[in-house]
Amino acid sequence: MNAHDTAPVPPPGCPAHGSGARVPLHGPEFAADPQAYYEYLRHYGAAAPVELAPGVEATLVTDYAAALQLLQDSGSFRKDARRWRAFNEGKVGPDSPVAPLLAYRPNCMFADGADHIRLRQAVTDSMARVDTRRLSRSTEQISGYLISQFGFRGSADLLGDYAKQLPLFVFNELFGCPADIGDRVLFGISGMFDGVNAEKATAVLFQAVGELVALKRDKPGEDVTSWLMRHEARLSDEEMVHQLALLLGAGAEPLRNLIGNTLHRLLTHERYAREGGLIDEALDDTLWENPPMSNYAPHYPAADTELAGHHLQAGDLVLVSFAAANTGPALRASRQAGSNRAHLAWSAGPHACPSKEPARHITVTAIEHLFNELPDVELAVPEDSLTWRPGPFNRALATLPARFTPVRSGRRGDPQPGTVTAERETAASPARPAERGGMWSQFLNWLTR
Ligand code: HEM
């Protein structure tokens, strides 16, 4: 352990402080003030012993240079989670709350070497074919639809009613989902992330994506599913299903939080006037200071090794704290010197996010459109009453209550200011699906009105 000379300041409520125990990243204390935890973790040196869930141990790299060393040395540090010793020894079970994000699946995130290159190339080539104008148009249509569902009320939870829904609808569009499959994709992916009946939700998602693959084999279209399928990597049906599920899983949650955290910044920092250019600036500041994926990039040393003076054993779980590396002293200095893109919010090295351009584009378009439609939108509660969801991986607001002048929708049949509506439908619990269809069917109906 490379303890610094100065005495560390314990984060508020940290049960590990002074006890020699690992620092827990799963409690409400960490969610309330992660930066205090990162500051404390830095006293261990470049990496620190943490706990991701009760009994799930990991080493968290908090230093920028050590993070880059790990992320760029794919010979020494592997992504294949079948190397995870604690999982193989049964110390962490498949029912652990961290298993959905850490346990092995046959997709490019958990692949190394030639397997990784083949799968990732298919993913990046297919995503690169997404036309930016089409993406803008569909993001605006989806934004318009979501706003039509709450704009008449004059208040909304911009997280639950907007940031959370929008990416899922965009993915349905990108993947070319017809109504019934799209409804089940929305149901499945929301349930998986909300932890509501997660096992059933996962089964529904994989069944729906499997049907989508069968449909596109028969009738390909101009969509990511068909491009992925026709790629020269010649993915099998099983590989198709797993890469599509990865795109949905790796995309939906961080994208929701990128929209949420950027909106939070724009609504709580006076210096951002609501103009196109400043949305970009708020987005960059969010990626630096409040990245949606705060601690991730799980890796496993191929053999016993050293990383920045820390001994690691083969099969140990090592993660990178993008949030801590971004805000550490080394990067703070380079940022002040004007290098605006050196943060690690998208990770780095061979597994860095392959979709940062579409993710940025969707985020800026979604926020611009919201501000155009609701020009006086403001936070409806004091900033310090906002809460963040617990969990070691994502930096995610629980809700973002906002108010604005109610707006009239130009579409026939949409609720108008003054309307009282029945209980709101959510993607995880489609209201009477047999009668009205799920949320994706309703959106497709709305488009044709
Ligand atoms: C359109 C939305 C998105 C899609 C489709 C997407 C897709 C992916 C995929 C497929 C990977 C795995 C790449 C590989 O292992 O080779 C990945 C990695 C990653 N993505 Fe994204 N992503 C999206 C949005 C985001 C956002 C908004 C963030 C946060 C700013 C983010 C941060 C990351 C990070 C940090 C990694 C590295 C994870 C690791 O090494 O384990 N992504 N993404």
Side-chain angles (χ1 to χ4, degrees), residues 79 108-109 116 120 123 127 171 246-247 250-251 254-255 258 287 292-293 296-299 322 344-347 350-355 358-359 362:
K79 290 289 290 174
C108 73
M109 181 105 85
H116 176 240
R120 181 172 165 110
V123 166
M127 286 300 287
F171 281 117
L246 168 68
L247 285 169
L255 193 47
L258 186 55
L287 291 167
M293 209 177 258
Y296 199 49
H299 282 79
F322 306 119
L344 290 181
W346 307 104
S347 188
H351 286 268
C353 183
S355 303
I362 296 165

